[in-house]
Amino acid sequence: MARERSGRTVAHLVLATRLKTLREAAGISRGEAATALGAHTATVRRIELAETSLDEGQVHTLLTAYGAGAAEIAEFLGQLATANLPGWWHPWRSVMDAWQLDLMSVESATRIIRVWEPALVPALLRTPSYARAVEDVRRPELPPADKDRRTELLIERQKRLRDQNTRIWAVMSAAALRTPVGGEAVMAEQWQALRAAVERPDVTLQIHPLEGPCHSMTGMPTVTLYRVDVPEIPDHVVREGDLPGSAEVLSSRHAVTAYHVLLDHTCVVAPHPDESKEALS
Protein backbone atom coordinates (compact mmCIF):
# COMPACT_ATOMS: atom_id res chain seq x y z
CA MET A 1 0.00 0.00 0.00
CA ALA A 2 1.66 3.19 -1.14
CA ARG A 3 -0.29 5.47 1.17
CA GLU A 4 -3.34 5.72 3.40
CA ARG A 5 -6.38 7.82 2.55
CA SER A 6 -6.69 10.97 4.62
CA GLY A 7 -10.28 10.14 5.62
CA ARG A 8 -9.43 6.62 6.65
CA THR A 9 -8.82 6.84 10.38
CA VAL A 10 -7.89 4.07 12.77
CA ALA A 11 -11.41 4.19 14.20
CA HIS A 12 -12.92 3.75 10.72
CA LEU A 13 -10.62 0.81 9.99
CA VAL A 14 -11.56 -0.86 13.27
CA LEU A 15 -15.27 -0.44 12.56
CA ALA A 16 -14.88 -1.69 8.99
CA THR A 17 -13.04 -4.77 10.24
CA ARG A 18 -15.79 -5.35 12.79
CA LEU A 19 -18.41 -5.22 10.01
CA LYS A 20 -16.52 -7.90 8.10
CA THR A 21 -16.23 -10.06 11.23
CA LEU A 22 -19.96 -9.77 11.93
CA ARG A 23 -20.81 -10.70 8.32
CA GLU A 24 -18.59 -13.77 8.40
CA ALA A 25 -19.92 -14.82 11.82
CA ALA A 26 -23.44 -14.63 10.41
CA GLY A 27 -22.45 -16.86 7.50
CA ILE A 28 -23.37 -14.22 4.94
CA SER A 29 -21.37 -13.78 1.74
CA ARG A 30 -20.38 -10.43 0.34
CA GLY A 31 -22.83 -11.02 -2.50
CA GLU A 32 -25.69 -11.58 -0.07
CA ALA A 33 -24.67 -8.48 1.90
CA ALA A 34 -24.63 -6.51 -1.34
CA THR A 35 -28.14 -7.71 -2.16
CA ALA A 36 -29.39 -6.54 1.24
CA LEU A 37 -27.71 -3.21 0.58
CA GLY A 38 -29.03 -2.95 -2.97
CA ALA A 39 -25.49 -2.43 -4.23
CA HIS A 40 -22.66 -4.20 -6.06
CA THR A 41 -20.47 -6.72 -4.25
CA ALA A 42 -17.53 -4.37 -4.78
CA THR A 43 -19.29 -1.81 -2.59
CA VAL A 44 -19.33 -4.19 0.36
CA ARG A 45 -15.68 -5.00 -0.23
CA ARG A 46 -14.78 -1.29 -0.22
CA ILE A 47 -16.79 -0.74 2.96
CA GLU A 48 -15.00 -3.61 4.72
CA LEU A 49 -11.61 -2.26 3.66
CA ALA A 50 -12.58 1.30 4.67
CA GLU A 51 -11.86 2.39 1.12
CA THR A 52 -15.04 4.46 1.21
CA SER A 53 -16.70 6.44 3.97
CA LEU A 54 -18.93 4.50 6.32
CA ASP A 55 -22.46 5.75 5.68
CA GLU A 56 -24.77 5.49 8.68
CA GLY A 57 -27.69 4.22 6.60
CA GLN A 58 -25.62 1.54 4.84
CA VAL A 59 -24.05 0.44 8.12
CA HIS A 60 -27.49 0.16 9.77
CA THR A 61 -28.76 -1.97 6.87
CA LEU A 62 -25.74 -4.28 7.00
CA LEU A 63 -25.88 -4.71 10.76
CA THR A 64 -29.58 -5.57 10.54
CA ALA A 65 -28.85 -8.12 7.81
CA TYR A 66 -26.16 -9.65 10.02
CA GLY A 67 -28.64 -10.13 12.86
CA ALA A 68 -27.31 -7.46 15.19
CA GLY A 69 -29.65 -6.38 17.95
CA ALA A 70 -30.90 -2.86 18.57
CA ALA A 71 -28.38 -2.26 21.38
CA GLU A 72 -25.42 -3.43 19.29
CA ILE A 73 -26.54 -1.31 16.34
CA ALA A 74 -26.89 1.76 18.55
CA GLU A 75 -23.43 1.20 20.04
CA PHE A 76 -21.87 0.74 16.60
CA LEU A 77 -23.51 3.87 15.19
CA GLY A 78 -22.40 5.82 18.24
CA GLN A 79 -18.81 4.76 17.63
CA LEU A 80 -19.19 5.70 13.98
CA ALA A 81 -20.39 9.20 14.93
CA THR A 82 -17.33 9.60 17.16
CA ALA A 83 -15.03 8.35 14.38
CA ASN A 84 -16.49 10.96 12.02
CA LEU A 85 -15.43 13.82 14.29
CA PRO A 86 -12.40 15.82 13.07
CA GLY A 87 -9.05 14.61 14.40
CA TRP A 88 -7.14 16.77 16.86
CA TRP A 89 -4.78 17.76 14.01
CA HIS A 90 -7.65 19.27 12.00
CA PRO A 91 -6.68 22.91 12.73
CA TRP A 92 -3.24 22.32 11.14
CA ARG A 93 -4.39 20.39 8.06
CA SER A 94 -3.70 23.28 5.65
CA VAL A 95 0.04 23.19 6.40
CA MET A 96 0.47 19.43 6.71
CA ASP A 97 2.15 17.22 4.13
CA ALA A 98 -0.14 14.65 2.50
CA TRP A 99 1.56 11.74 4.23
CA GLN A 100 1.18 13.44 7.61
CA LEU A 101 -2.57 13.76 7.08
CA ASP A 102 -2.65 10.06 6.30
CA LEU A 103 -0.59 8.98 9.31
CA MET A 104 -1.87 11.11 12.19
CA SER A 105 -4.61 8.68 13.14
CA VAL A 106 -2.12 5.80 13.00
CA GLU A 107 0.30 7.76 15.18
CA SER A 108 -2.44 8.27 17.76
CA ALA A 109 -2.65 4.47 18.16
CA THR A 110 1.10 3.80 18.11
CA ARG A 111 2.82 2.04 21.00
CA ILE A 112 6.42 2.47 19.84
CA ILE A 113 7.89 4.82 17.24
CA ARG A 114 11.32 3.83 15.95
CA VAL A 115 13.31 6.36 13.93
CA TRP A 116 16.48 6.45 11.89
CA GLU A 117 17.68 10.02 11.30
CA PRO A 118 20.84 10.38 9.17
CA ALA A 119 21.74 14.06 9.54
CA LEU A 120 19.58 16.01 12.00
CA VAL A 121 18.07 15.62 15.44
CA PRO A 122 15.00 13.35 15.09
CA ALA A 123 11.85 15.43 14.66
CA LEU A 124 10.12 14.06 17.74
CA LEU A 125 13.07 15.18 19.91
CA ARG A 126 13.46 18.68 18.47
CA THR A 127 12.96 21.89 20.40
CA PRO A 128 10.60 24.51 18.93
CA SER A 129 13.53 26.76 17.95
CA TYR A 130 15.45 23.93 16.31
CA ALA A 131 12.34 22.69 14.50
CA ARG A 132 11.55 26.19 13.24
CA ALA A 133 15.13 26.62 11.99
CA VAL A 134 14.85 23.32 10.10
CA GLU A 135 11.67 24.60 8.45
CA ASP A 136 13.62 27.67 7.25
CA VAL A 137 16.21 25.42 5.60
CA ARG A 138 13.99 22.62 4.32
CA ARG A 139 10.93 24.66 3.27
CA PRO A 140 12.20 28.09 2.16
CA GLU A 141 9.24 28.51 -0.19
CA LEU A 142 6.69 28.56 2.63
CA PRO A 143 5.44 31.79 4.24
CA PRO A 144 6.77 32.34 7.78
CA ALA A 145 3.28 31.88 9.21
CA ASP A 146 3.03 28.41 7.67
CA LYS A 147 6.43 27.46 9.08
CA ASP A 148 5.26 28.61 12.51
CA ARG A 149 2.12 26.48 12.22
CA ARG A 150 4.11 23.42 11.14
CA THR A 151 6.38 23.89 14.15
CA GLU A 152 3.34 24.18 16.43
CA LEU A 153 2.01 20.92 15.01
CA LEU A 154 5.27 19.10 15.72
CA ILE A 155 5.35 20.29 19.31
CA GLU A 156 1.70 19.26 19.77
CA ARG A 157 2.54 15.81 18.35
CA GLN A 158 5.36 15.46 20.87
CA LYS A 159 3.06 16.40 23.74
CA ARG A 160 0.32 13.99 22.71
CA LEU A 161 2.78 11.13 22.26
CA ARG A 162 4.07 11.72 25.79
CA ASP A 163 0.50 11.82 27.12
CA GLN A 164 -0.36 8.51 25.46
CA ASN A 165 2.89 6.92 26.74
CA THR A 166 4.26 6.17 23.29
CA ARG A 167 7.89 5.11 23.44
CA ILE A 168 10.35 6.89 21.15
CA TRP A 169 13.37 4.81 20.10
CA ALA A 170 15.60 6.91 17.88
CA VAL A 171 18.93 6.22 16.19
CA MET A 172 20.77 9.23 14.79
CA SER A 173 24.15 10.09 13.38
CA ALA A 174 26.58 12.13 15.45
CA ALA A 175 26.68 14.41 12.42
CA ALA A 176 23.52 16.04 13.81
CA LEU A 177 25.43 17.17 16.88
CA ARG A 178 28.04 18.88 14.71
CA THR A 179 25.70 20.43 12.16
CA PRO A 180 24.79 24.00 13.20
CA VAL A 181 21.06 24.64 12.91
CA GLY A 182 19.74 28.08 13.76
CA GLY A 183 22.87 29.35 15.51
CA GLU A 184 24.72 28.68 18.77
CA ALA A 185 21.83 29.49 21.10
CA VAL A 186 19.46 27.17 19.24
CA MET A 187 22.02 24.34 19.28
CA ALA A 188 22.77 24.82 22.97
CA GLU A 189 19.06 24.63 23.78
CA GLN A 190 18.69 21.52 21.62
CA TRP A 191 21.63 19.79 23.33
CA GLN A 192 20.09 20.54 26.71
CA ALA A 193 16.74 19.18 25.55
CA LEU A 194 18.38 15.96 24.33
CA ARG A 195 20.13 15.53 27.67
CA ALA A 196 16.76 15.83 29.40
CA ALA A 197 15.01 13.55 26.90
CA VAL A 198 17.40 10.62 27.35
CA GLU A 199 16.61 10.61 31.06
CA ARG A 200 12.94 9.99 30.35
CA PRO A 201 11.71 6.36 30.52
CA ASP A 202 9.81 6.75 27.23
CA VAL A 203 12.87 7.78 25.19
CA THR A 204 15.75 5.63 23.95
CA LEU A 205 18.44 7.38 21.93
CA GLN A 206 21.44 5.82 20.22
CA ILE A 207 24.04 7.95 18.46
CA HIS A 208 26.24 6.50 15.72
CA PRO A 209 29.72 8.06 15.98
CA LEU A 210 31.18 9.61 12.83
CA GLU A 211 34.06 7.14 12.97
CA GLY A 212 31.69 4.20 13.51
CA PRO A 213 31.35 1.26 11.09
CA CYS A 214 28.97 1.16 8.14
CA HIS A 215 25.59 -0.25 9.16
CA SER A 216 22.34 -1.34 7.54
CA MET A 217 20.79 2.16 7.46
CA THR A 218 23.90 3.94 6.17
CA GLY A 219 22.97 6.14 3.22
CA MET A 220 19.24 5.86 3.83
CA PRO A 221 16.93 8.87 4.32
CA THR A 222 14.85 9.36 7.45
CA VAL A 223 12.84 6.23 8.23
CA THR A 224 10.09 5.98 10.86
CA LEU A 225 8.48 2.73 11.97
CA TYR A 226 5.12 2.91 13.74
CA ARG A 227 4.41 -0.12 15.95
CA VAL A 228 0.62 0.11 16.26
CA ASP A 229 -1.21 -1.11 19.36
CA VAL A 230 -4.52 -1.87 17.62
CA PRO A 231 -4.96 -5.49 16.40
CA GLU A 232 -6.95 -4.50 13.32
CA ILE A 233 -4.31 -2.00 12.12
CA PRO A 234 -0.93 -3.01 10.65
CA ASP A 235 2.34 -1.39 11.59
CA HIS A 236 3.47 1.36 9.21
CA VAL A 237 6.77 2.60 7.81
CA VAL A 238 7.43 6.11 6.50
CA ARG A 239 10.48 6.55 4.31
CA GLU A 240 10.96 10.25 3.63
CA GLY A 241 11.93 11.35 0.12
CA ASP A 242 14.55 13.74 -1.19
CA LEU A 243 12.01 16.45 -2.00
CA PRO A 244 10.54 18.44 0.91
CA GLY A 245 7.25 16.99 2.06
CA SER A 246 7.58 13.78 0.06
CA ALA A 247 7.49 10.34 1.64
CA GLU A 248 6.58 6.74 0.91
CA VAL A 249 4.14 5.14 3.36
CA LEU A 250 4.20 1.34 3.60
CA SER A 251 2.13 -1.06 5.65
CA SER A 252 2.58 -4.45 3.98
CA ARG A 253 3.92 -7.12 6.30
CA HIS A 254 6.90 -7.69 3.99
CA ALA A 255 7.97 -4.03 3.95
CA VAL A 256 7.45 -3.48 7.68
CA THR A 257 9.39 -6.63 8.55
CA ALA A 258 12.25 -5.65 6.24
CA TYR A 259 12.66 -2.23 7.85
CA HIS A 260 12.23 -3.72 11.30
CA VAL A 261 15.19 -6.01 10.62
CA LEU A 262 17.29 -3.12 9.27
CA LEU A 263 16.56 -1.00 12.34
CA ASP A 264 17.36 -3.91 14.65
CA HIS A 265 20.72 -4.41 12.94
CA THR A 266 21.51 -0.70 13.15
CA CYS A 267 20.66 -0.63 16.86
CA VAL A 268 22.95 -3.58 17.51
CA VAL A 269 25.85 -1.84 15.76
CA ALA A 270 25.17 1.54 17.40
CA PRO A 271 26.64 2.40 20.82
CA HIS A 272 24.55 1.55 23.87
CA PRO A 273 22.11 4.29 24.94
CA ASP A 274 24.25 4.91 28.03
CA GLU A 275 27.18 5.77 25.76
CA SER A 276 24.92 8.16 23.87
CA LYS A 277 24.15 9.91 27.15
CA GLU A 278 27.88 10.39 27.65
CA ALA A 279 28.22 11.82 24.13
CA LEU A 280 25.71 14.52 25.11
CA SER A 281 27.44 15.42 28.37
Side-chain angles (χ1 to χ4, degrees), residues 47-202:
I47 289 174
E48 293 182 349
L49 293 176
E51 291 180 346
T52 186
S53 59
L54 296 180
D55 176 79
E56 180 178 340
Q58 289 181 324
V59 169
H60 191 287
T61 298
L62 290 174
L63 289 173
T64 301
Y66 302 160
E72 185 175 10
I73 292 175
E75 178 191 6
F76 195 107
L77 294 181
Q79 292 175 353
L80 178 58
T82 300
N84 286 333
L85 294 174
W88 66 260
W89 56 91
H90 190 73
W92 289 276
R93 67 193 184 284
S94 64
V95 297
M96 293 171 68
D97 298 324
W99 68 269
Q100 290 179 317
L101 282 167
D102 296 338
L103 263 294
M104 282 300 96
S105 60
V106 173
E107 185 173 282
S108 68
T110 298
R111 175 171 47 91
I112 300 175
I113 296 179
R114 299 184 63 183
V115 182
W116 157 248
E117 174 56 65
L120 299 170
V121 172
L124 295 176
L125 299 178
R126 292 173 187 169
T127 64
S129 297
Y130 186 100
R132 182 59 172 78
V134 170
E135 289 291 332
D136 282 336
V137 175
R138 288 282 184 86
R139 306 301 291 269
E141 80 286 358
L142 294 180
D146 285 357
K147 296 175 186 177
D148 290 342
R149 294 288 287 160
R150 287 171 59 84
T151 301
E152 290 172 7
L153 171 64
L154 175 60
I155 303 310
E156 183 65 21
R157 286 174 59 202
Q158 294 175 357
K159 177 182 181 300
R160 288 178 178 272
L161 288 171
R162 289 195 299 272
D163 291 345
Q164 69 189 41
N165 296 317
T166 296
R167 180 184 172 194
I168 308 299
W169 185 356
V171 187
M172 59 182 270
S173 169
L177 303 179
R178 303 188 182 186
T179 302
V181 176
E184 292 183 6
V186 171
M187 290 301 294
E189 181 186 44
Q190 181 63 73
W191 271 66
Q192 183 177 1
L194 285 176
R195 293 190 192 101
V198 295
E199 298 298 331
R200 287 165 32 198
D202 60 322

Side-chain angles (χ1 to χ4, degrees), residues 1-2 4 234-237 249-259:
M1 179 176 59
E4 296 287 310
D235 294 342
H236 284 63
V237 169
V249 179
L250 306 166
S251 63
S252 71
R253 184 182 298 274
H254 174 74
V256 170
T257 300
Y259 278 102

